[in-house]
Amino acid sequence: MKKFELMALPYQAEALEPVISARTLQFHHGKHLQAYVNNLNNLLPGTPWEGLSLEDIVCQAQGGILNNAGQVLNHNLYFGQFTSPKKDNFPSGKLAAAINAQFGSFNNFCQEFVKAGTTLFGSGWVWLSADADGRLVITQEPNAANPIQKGLCPLLTFDVWEHAYYLDYQNRRPDHLDALWQIIDWTVVEARYVHD
């Protein structure tokens, strides 16, 4: 049986500071995500979802398998979208054009996205996704849910579980979400937006 593995970070643990500290990364990636990977690998043997891709498991499974698979998928997309902090960090190309067309400006989009992340009650994720026509959608997904369960293509996500930010920001979720724009690797996000 194929075992899922903890994704390797595409940057050093200190690379995202001061937006996300190395200490937070060590806990969030090295402890929380590792636990989801371990749990998923322990739960899958002998189930109908054994051997399926992570995306297929998230779209088909239920209960503990769904929760852990969802968290692995969500965190892989989350950790894979970051780079060292940059000033004036903006998307380009087709994604930038779609954001401007649908939200009026990049700044308006950022405000709507952070508002969705701030107002999501409890634990979960805020997502920018594309539908089958390439139209952009902001969704709030509770717990371990992922937009692929709604037929959407996930592009960008902010984790609003407290373990994602509490060591650095305590209960200041909006401050954390506002700071994340500095470390988005827009080339990664743009590559996920493949609509013509």
Side-chain angles (χ1 to χ4, degrees):
M1 176 196 140
K2 176 181 80 172
K3 288 272 190 181
F4 291 102
E5 296 182 357
L6 179 68
M7 71 168 286
L9 293 175
Y11 38 77
Q12 297 298 313
E14 303 80 20
L16 308 182
E17 292 183 340
V19 178
I20 298 176
S21 69
R23 186 163 178 251
T24 287
L25 264 186
Q26 287 159 1
F27 278 100
H28 194 183
H29 174 265
K31 305 285 187 191
H32 287 277
L33 180 52
Q34 182 68 73
Y36 295 130
V37 171
N38 293 345
N39 291 341
L40 181 60
N41 286 330
N42 290 334
L43 289 167
L44 280 174
T47 71
W49 306 288
E50 186 176 10
L52 294 184
S53 71
L54 204 49
E55 291 80 4
D56 286 340
I57 295 170
V58 169
C59 289
Q60 298 176 27
Q62 300 171 351
I65 291 176
L66 170 59
N67 289 336
N68 285 281
Q71 288 291 58
V72 174
L73 178 60
N74 292 357
H75 282 90
N76 287 353
L77 292 166
Y78 173 78
F79 288 124
Q81 71 188 5
F82 293 137
T83 188
S84 296
K86 298 176 187 172
K87 289 186 177 179
D88 301 322
N89 190 25
F90 306 111
S92 61
K94 292 179 181 177
L95 179 59
I99 287 172
N100 289 332
Q102 285 189 232
F103 299 99
S105 69
F106 179 68
N107 187 57
N108 287 347
F109 157 69
C110 291
Q111 289 178 358
E112 283 194 40
F113 197 80
V114 168
K115 181 180 179 183
T118 302
T119 59
L120 175 61
F121 182 77
S123 298
W125 303 77
V126 59
W127 293 87
L128 176 68
S129 301
D131 68 14
D133 297 320
R135 183 168 176 78
L136 301 177
V137 183
I138 295 173
T139 62
Q140 296 172 315
E141 304 294 343
N143 301 317
N146 185 290
I148 64 169
Q149 295 163 308
K150 300 174 178 175
L152 299 170
C153 174
L155 306 175
L156 170 77
T157 188
F158 287 2
D159 186 346
V160 297
W161 285 66
E162 283 192 339
H163 64 240
Y165 60 87
Y166 204 82
L167 291 177
D168 300 327
Y169 295 86
Q170 287 74 51
N171 64 337
R172 302 189 312 275
R173 183 193 286 184
D175 292 347
H176 168 65
L177 299 180
D178 279 331
L180 288 176
W181 298 115
Q182 301 170 53
I183 59 170
I184 299 301
D185 187 339
W186 286 108
T187 59
V188 171
V189 179
E190 289 158 9
R192 297 171 181 169
Y193 185 62
V194 293
H195 190 79
D196 291 326

